[in-house]
Structures are given as structure tokens and as C-alpha cells.
Amino acid sequence: MHLGLIGYGNIATLLPRILGQQGALPSRIDVLVRPGRASAARAAFGDIAVTVHEDTGAFIATAPSLVVEAATHAAVKTSVLECLRAGLPVLIVSVGALADAALETAVREAAEAGHTQAHLSSGAVGGIDMLAAARLSGITSVTYTSRKPPMAWRGTPADDALDLPGLTQATTFYEGTARQAATDYPKNANVAATIALAGAGFEATQVRMVADPTVTANIHEFTVRSGALDFTVTLEGKPSPENPKTSVSTVYALARTVLNQTAPITV
């Protein structure tokens, strides 16, 4: 496989290592970064052989068989759209960017123009297959709760609303729609956006965010009521040591999708 990566953060640099552990390190890896970041990107990947590009056109010209966006919402608005228009399939990690209805439309139109597909990563949450199936039967309600240790919310609006280091009990600091959650908490609400897009939509999906000093994991729970089935999914994702806002399971979910691109049998 020829893999393209957008970004060089924790997710992007860990993904090739996991693939290598599975005996499936891509034969070539091209990485797209912002201007002036090439040296830092090479250092971040360490002993993993990568070719780093600061120009989107040069990156696209290498024709990766799959591009994985593991950067920011800004990358979805720019590089991802260019890759899709050029006919490259893209796996999007920053799903929360699609809370912007205009951007969701732009991604759809870019994929259609390039005769390719934008794949949305399930990230840190499971049960997305059944949620998408339930949508076909008619969904009555979807409620998602994100429960994390207080310091995992550092650098978000929760930092202004709460004394995060001083919390002694679980505190709910946000209740509202998935669209507003993904807009206000872009680094924490990719799961909310994924659940919304797979199920009832951004406006109909209700979200609760909780800072809980009694937990050490990033806990994702959502409950679905539909015509075909009712169910609740709870996952305790272990926080990434490098970035506690991210569940390390996000990278393994990406690895599974990449491995499925070349596997003779996929699940």
C-alpha cells in the first residue's frame, strides 16, 4: 500500500508503527504538513521512512492509494477537499469539522467531482455499524455522553467554566446538540459528530459532557432508540499518554480501516 498522511501529530506518527507491528507497513508513506514544518515532521516519525511535502499539489502528485487526514479541522477545509477533487480517497479523523453544514456539503461535492469517497473514521467509538443500520428503520432518539478526567478538558471552554484541578465530583458542563458540541469543543467532539452523522443528525443528537475526577479513562456512552432495535454502547478508551484528549483506540480503529484496504477478507 502507498499511504498518504495529512499531519504529523500523535495519531499520524503512531499509525505506521501499529501497521508495522501487524506486518503491514506501507511500502511508501507520503506526509503533507504545513509550510515550515517539514523538519519537525521528519523528526516526529523517527525511524519510519517517510517523504514529507509542504505543498498539497506535490503530495497529490504522488498518488497515494489512501489518504488519512490526522491533522485539524482546517485541514479538512483545505487539503482534504483538494485530495478528493483529485480523485484520492480520504479517511477523515477530524469528523467534527463536518458540524459546519457548508463544509459537509463541500466534502460531498468534492468526492463526487473526483469520483472517489470520503470515509469518516469511527475513531474512539464502537457500534457505528448498528447505529447506521438503525437509522434506516427510523430513529426515535440518540443521546451521547462523553465522560473524561478533568484535565482531559484542559484548553476547552470547560476550563473557563470549572475549576478543573479542584473538582471533587462528576460535573456536567455541557448539554445540547451534537452540532454545538462539535463547534464549541472541536478537539473533544469528533465522537459526537461521528454518532450524529451515522444516526439522527447533528440537531437531533443530544450530547452531555462530564468532567469526572473519579475516572481515569475517556468514557464514551450512547443510547439509541429506533424502529429496529434499542441499545446502549459504553466504551472506556485509554487516554493517549501524549495527548489525554485522545483515546488511543482512535489510532487502532484507523489501523483496522487501513488494513482492510488490502486484506483478502474484511470484517
Side-chain angles (χ1 to χ4, degrees):
M1 164 173 268
H2 175 187
L3 180 65
L5 292 170
I6 300 176
Y8 66 98
N10 180 48
I11 292 174
T13 55
L14 185 55
L15 176 59
R17 298 189 182 282
I18 294 174
L19 295 175
Q21 291 167 2
Q22 302 301 315
L25 186 68
S27 58
R28 175 173 177 174
I29 302 175
D30 284 85
V31 181
L32 176 62
V33 301
R34 288 178 289 176
R37 302 298 179 90
S39 295
R42 293 188 189 97
F45 281 94
D47 58 354
I48 300 292
V50 299
T51 301
V52 180
H53 306 269
E54 295 183 350
D55 177 74
T56 304
F59 173 78
I60 290 173
T62 68
S65 48
L66 175 68
V67 174
V68 176
E69 175 278 315
T72 63
H73 288 198
V76 180
K77 297 177 182 178
T78 54
S79 304
V80 166
L81 294 179
E82 293 183 55
C83 288
L84 290 171
R85 293 188 189 109
L88 301 180
V90 181
L91 177 58
I92 298 175
V93 174
S94 302
V95 180
L98 301 188
D100 179 343
L103 181 56
E104 181 186 353
T105 298
V107 167
R108 190 183 308 277
E109 292 177 347
E112 291 173 347
H115 303 287
T116 188
Q117 290 182 309
H119 305 275
L120 305 183
S121 172
S122 60
V125 70
I128 294 300
D129 53 348
M130 290 311 300
L131 173 57
R135 180 183 64 190
L136 303 181
S137 72
I139 288 180
T140 304
S141 66
V142 180
T143 303
Y144 163 61
T145 299
S146 176
R147 184 183 302 271
K148 299 182 181 183
M151 300 315 291
W153 298 108
R154 176 62 64 88
T156 74
D159 218 355
D160 298 324
L162 302 173
D163 174 19
L164 293 174
L167 284 182
T168 58
Q169 60 184 10
T171 303
T172 299
F173 59 87
Y174 174 86
E175 290 187 87
T177 68
R179 189 180 304 281
Q180 197 60 50
T183 300
D184 292 348
Y185 297 82
K187 295 182 179 180
N188 296 80
N190 283 331
V191 170
T194 300
I195 290 172
L197 287 163
F202 279 103
E203 302 301 338
T205 300
Q206 294 300 303
V207 174
R208 295 173 64 245
M209 293 184 177
V210 182
D212 189 344
T214 69
V215 303
T216 58
N218 294 338
I219 301 174
H220 305 283
E221 179 176 292
F222 67 97
T223 298
V224 179
R225 299 287 179 262
S226 74
L229 75 164
D230 300 334
F231 63 96
T232 297
V233 173
T234 302
L235 300 100
E236 295 187 16
K238 297 180 179 180
S240 166
E242 292 80 11
N243 181 5
K245 294 183 179 65
T246 299
S247 296
V248 71
S249 57
T250 297
V251 193
Y252 284 92
L254 281 176
R256 172 184 173 274
T257 302
V258 174
L259 290 168
N260 277 346
Q261 302 303 303
T262 56
I265 299 176
T266 66
V267 177

